[in-house]
Amino acid sequence: MDPWLLITIIVGFGMAWAIGANDAANSMSTAVGAKAITPKQAVLIAGVLEFTGAYFFGKSVTETIRKGILYPDKITDPNILVYGSVAALLAATIWLVIATKFGLPVSTTHSIIGGIVGYGIVYAGFSVVNWGKMTQVVLSWILSPIIGAIMAFFVFKALTKSIFERNDPVKSSKIWSPFWVGLAFVVIGTMFYIKVLHGKDLGRGVIFYGIPAGLVVFLILFFALRAKFPSSDPFIGVESIFRRVQVITSGYVALAHGANDVANAIGPVAAVYAVATMGMAGMKVPVPRWILAMGGLGIALGVATYGYRVMETVGRRITELTNTRGFTIDFSAATVVLVASWLGLPISTTHVVVGAVIGVGLARGVKAINKDIVRDIIISWFVTVPVAALISASLFKVLMIVG
Amino acid sequence: MQVWTKLFAKSPFKPLIKHAEVALQTVETLEKALQAWREGNYEEMKKLALEVDRLEDVADRIKAEIRDSLSSKLMMAVAREDVLIYLHMQDKVADAAEDTAKWLLVKEPGDIPEEIKEVILQMGTESIKAAKLVYGAIVQMDRVIESGFAEKEIEREYEIIHEIEGVESKIDGLDTELMRLVFQNADKMDWSEGFYLLNIARTLSNISDKAKDAAERIRLMMNK
């Protein structure tokens, strides 16, 4: 095997581990915080579903990272792509470590894209960056939390109207919670058709895969919920139903996160792989499945080895989140992330989840949100890309001289 | 990871409920002090009045903690100003109870007509009702938020607010009755006794007055 490919694989695997350790834990936090699942269960669910998401649904975003940010035909020297990819991965990892030290909530997605843009500009100037795609990506970073917030706002309003305002909230939630989970499976089923079976027709996917999957899940859940839950205190009854349902939606988040964020670790690896096998920055080489699997494995390993501690801390400290809120946040965020993955847009899961939290807050669902943290997150958006780009650019220069 | 532990700020509602609980205890202890006063058990009365003073201190401390934690950096389901003013009013309930306790402590009562004692005791009992209702109102406010401002829960909250207003007007009536009785019995008492009784009546009716103001703030919280 090409030694540089081996190095990239190792660095990429390390990045995947870091994503699993920090990000994946974030994606399951609402469920752990709302006491829907224990940290141990969260690790197991996240590990399996992150891998599944990465392996089956992770390709489009990986392609965007591999060849969407820089014009591949402008990088003629294959070594450049190798050095650049290593520099980008290292820069992203370094910046993540620094930011974690200072408690800044930065995004792995923003870091890796900063890294790629950084080495690209040093090598061939600004024209090498596909600014059209880049604008689209950056726009999606701004839009996705906003869409997450709007969606969470309306989902929570809908829950209020359909459950809390009814005469028998427990009875209503037995009908409406399977409906929302069913809707989630409409999205998952459609994605399965497009991503795994490589279907082209969205309408066909929705009708033949999405809706049947959603319907089956709706019916299973509907009958499963009918048996139990005596209606004593209506609010406790509703929350106990949603505590169970939330296990499914938090899995939905893990799946979506794997699908989108695996690309941050393995996009550059895939780029180097293309060079190693074709000798050129080949456009034609598709991302091989084993690289997606490797990324998924790295994330799962990160969750298992380090994410556990993160989730334990979170589980102890978020006490202000109820199951209906957690459910709303999970459902809205995962849907936005999964749709973005389908469009091949690398977005930040954490930021979408934060957007959804704010949406529930605006619907007067969450009692108190810390505005300072929201501000920090927004600042981190503007800081991460240039900083990661600078680190990557310096590393790239060094590699050029040494290599 | 830090995002999650910091993003959700601590809700002010649990401490507000705790504060309401202490305010209620203050009023309940005051009523016990009034009973001891009526029975002429002044030792017991003094002990209880001092306990009212202590409880009011506890309420003050909780109030200070809530105020410190409610910075403008929070995004809340209700307006911050309403919460702060509500807290101020709820605290005034405990303050008013303490004021009454102070009057009990400063002067040994002389020979007070039984019918006046009767009215004062009634005012005490009604004050407990008011304080209990305030406690119920803030617990219900928590439920209103928990339900995502469901119409049904808001209606229940309005019912409690109406009840508080009802108690307040009842105490107002007792207050007027007491003033009338004090002047009716003017020749049986000296001026200092009259002054003493009127002030006890005034501070007692303050309890429900402030309870009503607190209820008014809760109404505003729901109409953000």
Side-chain angles (χ1 to χ4, degrees), chain A residues 54-370:
Chain A
Y55 187 72
F56 288 111
F57 303 140
K59 211 175 129 193
S60 301
V61 183
T62 305
E63 289 288 2
T64 303
I65 299 272
R66 178 167 81 101
K67 56 185 189 189
I69 307 299
L70 304 180
Y71 289 111
D73 52 344
K74 285 199 178 161
I75 303 174
T76 42
D77 183 352
N79 282 333
I80 298 302
L81 202 68
V82 175
Y83 296 157
S85 297
V86 173
L89 276 174
L90 276 177
T93 312
I94 291 169
W95 171 234
L96 282 178
V97 171
I98 296 171
T100 307
K101 263 238 173 320
F102 287 100
L104 267 176
V106 302
S107 152
T108 51
T109 310
H110 300 188
S111 305
I112 197 69
I113 289 181
I116 291 171
V117 169
Y119 91 79
I121 290 174
V122 165
Y123 172 65
F126 286 90
S127 65
V128 73
V129 179
N130 183 344
W131 291 108
K133 187 76 190 173
M134 194 61 188
T135 311
Q136 200 188 336
V137 166
V138 172
L139 213 63
S140 77
W141 291 346
I142 297 165
L143 285 178
S144 56
I146 294 173
I147 295 168
I150 292 170
M151 191 155 164
F153 180 92
F154 284 110
V155 170
F156 189 68
K157 284 280 179 209
L159 281 188
T160 311
K161 285 260 178 293
S162 60
I163 294 173
F164 290 130
E165 297 202 350
R166 291 304 160 93
N167 287 327
D168 188 350
V170 176
K171 199 174 149 201
S172 307
S173 60
K174 283 180 183 175
I175 299 164
W176 283 100
S177 59
F179 169 79
W180 290 106
V181 175
L183 211 57
F185 273 85
V186 171
V187 179
I188 295 172
T190 310
M191 292 290 289
F192 181 81
Y193 167 75
I194 292 171
K195 294 289 168 183
V196 183
L197 305 177
H198 304 291
K200 294 275 175 283
D201 185 2
L202 184 64
R204 208 184 131 79
V206 173
I207 293 165
F208 289 102
Y209 291 88
I211 291 175
L215 212 61
V216 167
V217 170
F218 171 84
L219 289 173
I220 292 171
L221 208 60
F222 179 75
F223 285 107
L225 289 176
R226 258 177 64 164
K228 300 175 220 157
F229 310 108
S231 324
S232 50
D233 181 295
F235 281 14
I236 293 168
V238 169
E239 292 301 333
S240 72
I241 287 172
F242 274 88
R243 188 174 308 133
R244 281 154 181 84
V245 174
Q246 213 200 333
V247 178
I248 302 171
T249 44
S250 61
Y252 184 33
V253 180
L255 187 84
H257 178 265
N260 204 285
D261 289 34
V262 72
N264 303 334
I266 65 155
V269 180
V272 174
Y273 172 81
V275 174
T277 50
M278 298 289 287
M280 255 301 301
M283 295 274 291
K284 296 285 182 286
V285 190
V287 180
R289 282 271 176 222
W290 67 266
I291 290 190
L292 286 168
M294 188 203 78
L297 201 68
I299 294 178
L301 209 66
V303 176
T305 51
Y306 187 83
Y308 179 66
R309 268 194 285 169
V310 177
M311 293 207 214
E312 253 193 345
T313 321
V314 169
R316 271 202 307 272
R317 293 196 38 195
I318 305 183
T319 50
E320 310 297 336
L321 205 58
T322 58
N323 296 107
T324 38
R325 273 75 170 165
F327 171 86
T328 306
I329 294 163
D330 284 350
F331 175 82
S332 313
T335 306
V336 171
V337 174
L338 216 49
V339 169
S341 300
W342 167 56
L343 296 170
L345 289 174
I347 61 169
S348 165
T349 308
T350 311
H351 292 174
V352 179
V353 176
V354 170
V357 169
I358 293 166
V360 178
L362 289 173
R364 306 178 85 184
V366 177
K367 282 173 199 163
I369 293 172
N370 201 331

Side-chain angles (χ1 to χ4, degrees), chain A residues 26 29 105 160 164-166 235 310 320-322 325 353 358 361-362 364 367-373, chain B residues 1 3-4 6-9 11 72-77 142 145-152 221 224:
Chain A
N26 274 345
S29 293
T160 311
F164 290 130
E165 297 202 350
R166 291 304 160 93
F235 281 14
V310 177
E320 310 297 336
L321 205 58
T322 58
R325 273 75 170 165
V353 176
I358 293 166
L362 289 173
R364 306 178 85 184
K367 282 173 199 163
I369 293 172
N370 201 331
K371 276 190 212 159
D372 275 9
I373 301 300
Chain B
M1 171 203 95
V3 185
W4 294 109
K6 287 190 212 153
L7 188 66
F8 294 95
S11 150
S72 55
K73 289 166 182 171
L74 296 184
M75 179 179 125
M76 286 199 292
D142 198 41
I145 298 177
E146 213 50 39
S147 72
F149 288 76
E151 216 41 66
K152 215 170 52 189
M221 281 185 212
K224 179 182 161 188

Side-chain angles (χ1 to χ4, degrees), chain B residues 55-208:
Chain B
L55 283 167
E56 196 271 341
D57 272 355
V58 174
D60 266 351
R61 250 176 287 140
I62 299 174
K63 181 183 73 174
E65 270 172 42
I66 298 175
R67 277 193 179 158
D68 288 344
S69 64
L70 270 185
S71 72
S72 55
K73 289 166 182 171
L74 296 184
M75 179 179 125
M76 286 199 292
V78 292
R80 176 172 163 265
E81 291 72 25
D82 288 338
V83 173
L84 287 173
I85 296 172
Y86 168 80
L87 176 63
H88 182 68
M89 294 310 168
Q90 187 172 273
D91 197 58
K92 285 275 179 207
V93 171
D95 278 353
E98 192 209 13
D99 284 346
T100 313
K102 263 189 207 153
W103 279 103
L104 292 180
L105 286 170
V106 289
K107 184 186 178 305
E108 290 270 316
D111 200 15
I112 291 164
E114 200 53 38
E115 50 181 346
I116 291 183
K117 281 187 175 177
E118 184 58 41
V119 175
I120 284 181
L121 254 297
Q122 267 180 36
M123 285 177 84
T125 316
E126 291 298 318
S127 299
I128 291 182
K129 269 190 209 158
K132 259 193 191 141
L133 283 167
V134 168
Y135 174 74
I138 193 70
V139 169
Q140 178 62 20
M141 190 61 216
D142 198 41
R143 277 180 80 92
V144 167
I145 298 177
E146 213 50 39
S147 72
F149 288 76
E151 216 41 66
K152 215 170 52 189
E153 300 299 328
I154 291 179
E155 263 165 41
R156 251 175 233 158
E157 183 69 284
Y158 277 129
E159 278 165 30
I160 298 174
I161 293 172
H162 286 315
E163 275 182 66
I164 294 175
E165 285 163 346
V167 171
E168 195 268 346
S169 82
K170 192 166 176 193
I171 292 188
D172 257 5
L174 288 169
D175 191 21
T176 317
E177 166 79 1
L178 187 99
M179 291 195 299
R180 203 177 52 77
L181 284 173
V182 168
F183 287 109
Q184 227 171 45
N185 291 290
D187 47 339
K188 292 182 204 153
M189 299 182 290
D190 64 24
W191 72 270
S192 70
E193 250 140 27
F195 190 70
Y196 167 80
L197 286 172
L198 288 175
N199 270 299
I200 285 180
R202 189 179 52 82
T203 51
L204 268 177
S205 71
N206 247 343
I207 295 177
S208 61

Side-chain angles (χ1 to χ4, degrees), chain A residues 5-39:
Chain A
L5 178 60
L6 197 67
I7 291 172
T8 330
I9 287 176
I10 293 166
V11 180
F13 196 77
M15 174 84 175
W17 181 89
I19 293 170
N22 284 291
D23 257 23
N26 274 345
S27 65
M28 299 285 283
S29 293
T30 51
V32 180
K35 307 264 184 292
I37 44 177
T38 64

